[in-house]
Amino acid sequence: MAISDPVIVVIEDDPQMRRFLRTSLGTMEFQVYEADSGQQGLVEAGVRKPDLIVLDLGLPDMDGVEVVRALREWTMLPIIILSARSAEQHKVDALDAGADDYLTKPFGIGELMARIRVALRHSANNSEHAIDQVFTTGELKVDLARRLVHVGEHEVHLTPIEYRLLSTLVKHAGKVLTHRQLLTEVWGPAYVENAHYLRIYMSQLRQKLETDPTRMKYLLTESGVGYRLKA
Amino acid sequence: MSSERPDPDLLLAKVEREQAKARRGRLKIFFGASAGVGKTYSMLLAARERRATGIDVAVGLVETHGRKETAQLLEGLELLPTRTIDYRGTWLREFDLDGALKRRPSLILVDEIAHTNAPGSRHPKRWQDVNELLNAGIDVYTTLNVQHLESLNDDVGQFSGIRVWETVPDTVFEQADEVELVDLPPDELLVRFNEGKVYLPEKAERAIKNFFRKGNLIALRELALRQTADRVDAQMQDYREDHAIRDIWQVGERILVCIGPDGLAEQLVRAGKRLASGLRGEWIVAYVETPRLQRLPAEKRDSILAILRLAEQLGAKTVTLSAPEIGEALINLARERNITKIVMGKPTRRGWKRWLLGSVVDTIIGEAHNINVQMMGSSRAHPAETELVVSGRAPPPGLKAAPEQKHKRRTRGYLLAVVVIALCSVVAEGLHGKFELANLVMVYLLGVVFVATHFGRGPSILASILSAVAFEVLFVTPYLQFTVSDSQYLVTLGAMLAVAMVISNLMANVRSQAKVAAHRERRAAVLYAMSKELSAARSETEILRTAVQHIHAEFGSRNVILFPDPTGRIQYPTDTILSESVQGSDLSVAQWVFDHNEMAGRGTNTLPGSELVYFPLAAGNNVIGVLALLPVNLRRIFLPEQKKLLETFISLIVQAIDRIRLAEQAKRSSVQMEAERLRNSLLSSISHDLRTPLATIVGSASTLVERNHVLRTKDRLELSRAIHDEALRMSNLVGNILDMARLDSGMAQLNRQWVPLDEIIGSVLTRLHKRLEGRSVVVKLPPGSPLVHVDPVMIEQLLVNLLENAARYTPEGSPIEITAEFGPFSVSISVADRGPGIPKGQENLLFEKFYRLQGERAQSGVGLGLTICRAIVEAHGGHIYAKNRASGGALFSFVLPFNQAPPSVDLEEESKP
């Protein structure tokens, strides 16, 4: 474990879960600090200067969403939330409050690592203001500077809204975006209740970008939460 | 601290109060021959003694009538406040029943039980107040003079010449727990009277002075003593019975009192009462209504009704029979009820009439072999005078007959009689000369017969006279002159009159019998119709609607049925109001009726001032509610046959409601049993399905922990995989159980949104990517991918379950098809496979909780997947079914309706970015 290893604060009340995270993340060259309550977690986050926070939504002393809000008052560091299944609204609230991504329990270490990597990369990009001008995933290529979209060799024509939607997803590639976040970003804050707009355009976008719209490769649905562009 | 400690005295008092509630109070009557014997005085003395032993005594109402000795005894006793009622300008002091019930002493003194309450009181009579006190568990001391006893009222009236209007039913006296005779020899009483120590109401002073004659006082004393002796005798008998001293086998006497419309009826009833109490037997008062009697004026019928009610008050059962022949009907009744004695009036027909036409008495004596018959003659010079005097009990308000509407019809009958005879004259005129005069008479006879059959007696008499006159004037020479000299035509007149009388009487009888028959038939039809509808009713609301409508149709009364809430307080109904419903019923009256299982309200003895009549909705002692009626005409409810019909209605309604309630109870308990069964199968299922993966996990993990040093890397990996797989399986299982619990408890709220169907299916296929590897999954969606209005998360779960199911039960690599078809406001989605299909007859069982195809134990899952599917579809208001495909394999299909049109979307013009 080197000094320059990324620092992660795990806020989780269950000792077994903490043990699993500590052990697994420790083997991946992370420095892990633990907190078993929301209050302690906020203190740790201030003291340890972490690169990322893993936050369980079900804490004994505070609502996880409150913890996210409290953190977002002073830092933009990436937050990954852990939540139980069947609590979609809770997840969405936490994401809307500023959390970067989420994982549903139970999850494998592979999924967690993927989320952590995406989150760390985005926070690095944000700090350096250097977004790649050309984004590529699989066959899909989006040239943000020239506003060109290709699938394989074929150029795809998009409407302005479709393009705005795609470029928003590209900017946050690999990260989940809630319906509300996408609607605000693409249509403006007045449209946050019109989720069907988003769904219709997403469907159109899939028709144009995916080879089989019912077997998505790029534009993934996070059911009940939002969408994610495969990074 | 001391304030928290209960006061032992208070506790004791509370316990006593609760015990008192549980039992009925004891009634002690201080009984005397007349005013002035010292009943009130004795009562107060006894009360003071009771108080000295620590009993909570209160004085509800005691009249001292200014007597010092009595007033002195009152000192130190708690006097309850009385009620004052303004009655036509005078203030009447009345016993305050509600106050007494609220105060709830152990023993209360209420003087003069025979007193009639001022109008506007709850009960018309004080003995009813006392009854309520007793029911509340309060002991009561009261006083009574012998002449106020209902059954003796008549006798006392006869020898003293004074009738008292305030009477008490004998049952009150008989049911008293104790009777103490307060006796004073007549001479001493007279001395007291002359000293002015006897209170007399001022108005009737002279009459009462007449009353205080020695002869009267002796007779009264004898009556009082005898009455008390009878009671003592009865007590003795009870004692013997209780102690099984049965040396004499007594056959219960049953007495039948037959009354007619004459003035003897009341005397017969009182005599029957005396006989019945003397013999300690049951007694029945019967009135047979023959067609002739049905034609009596309404006032007479009302007076009979009043006498029947008097008989009921005296403790008799009453029967009203409709029959053509009195004697026969009575004999049948007597046989049916095992009557041992018949009491009836002396025959009214005498001499040759009786010999010729017979009499009821003769019929009964001739037929009733084992029955003693007692006859009573009228003791009065003018029996007719007593006809309507039913011991001051005028028929209740509204019971009087409605004004007769027959007048008009009768006039019409007379006019038509004239017209008919005029027509006959025209016809006879036409025939005149061609036929004998005797034949012309036949024409008139025909006319008379016609009138007699159609318009009854009066018009037919008029017709026969007119015929005779017309015949005489028109056809008997000299023409157009009226001479009765031709005496032979007087015979014609006489014959015609006789024919008219006979036919009109016959017709009248036939008509009224037809009327009675029609009446009965209608009643039977009404009952049949109602019972049919009631038995077809599926819910209580339906029963109530049927009941209210039928009661309205039959009794012309708007009505309502009230039920108690779970705490026993009567409530207003919450159902929709029908046009036949009556509103504004008095809940306090209804509550009283419900608590006491007795009727109340207008036309009854309890709260007659209310606008409605209240009947307990009861079968036996089981009161389930109250029926309140707004009577248009009290006769339609209180005539014996009508009342009986209403009682039949009520028992039908109660039965129907009981039936529904029992059915509901049965349903509830079967639901409970089903829940129990489910819980058991859930427990066994969960314990099996969770323990199996757990066993693997625990076993593998323990190997990893304990045998770590000897394990090869390959083995370690193998064990870790086992743990991983089994943990995932458990996670799925727990997820399913939780989903089911959430759907079952209704906690899962539907979050409907407009979603393109391909998004949901896409998401499902992505999620099941691994599970479906190597299979061809064909998705057939209509082009354009319309939006569906569903909860996307739930539908995704539903499709995941269906696809997992298909993957689980079909061979590796076999294809699966997903098809969607859109209706205008619904979508129908099918998942079809090419597996072995569903065993016949199990298509619907599949969706039951914990159902698994037999022999599938090795498959993972608890059998909740399809149940969750059904719950999700039903939450959307749709339905799901399974069937086998004709070409092989199973097909699961569900339809989801949406009750909204898709939202409008302003799509931008297609343009190049």
Side-chain angles (χ1 to χ4, degrees), chain B residues 823-861:
Chain B
F825 283 98
S826 70
V827 61
S828 145
I829 302 168
S830 314
V831 174
D833 62 42
R834 288 286 174 200
I838 307 153
K840 233 183 155 38
Q842 303 204 6
E843 288 89 343
N844 289 321
L845 289 175
L846 288 177
F847 298 101
E848 295 300 322
K849 270 181 196 161
F850 310 117
Y851 181 84
R852 271 188 292 204
L853 289 180
Q854 277 168 2
E856 301 287 356
R857 269 282 170 196
Q859 304 279 359
S860 61

Side-chain angles (χ1 to χ4, degrees), chain A residues 85-86 88 106 157-161 196-197 199-201 203-204 206-208 214-216 221 223-224 227, chain B residues 731 735 739 742 753-756 758-759 762-763 765 777 793 796-797 903 905-908 910-913:
Chain A
R85 177 174 158 175
S86 78
E88 274 81 15
H157 298 288
L158 298 180
T159 66
I161 290 181
H196 59 279
Y197 272 80
R199 293 203 162 96
I200 290 168
Y201 277 97
S203 173
Q204 288 179 6
R206 281 187 180 130
Q207 300 282 350
K208 290 181 181 176
T214 58
R215 284 179 187 74
M216 301 87 112
T221 306
S223 68
Y227 299 97
Chain B
S731 161
D739 278 350
R742 234 156 38 103
Q753 297 187 359
W754 285 102
V755 193
D758 55 359
E759 180 178 313
S763 180
L765 293 179
V777 178
V793 180
E796 187 182 318
Q797 183 63 42
V905 181
D906 311 317
L907 290 181
E908 55 182 344
E910 188 78 19
S911 60
K912 278 192 183 178

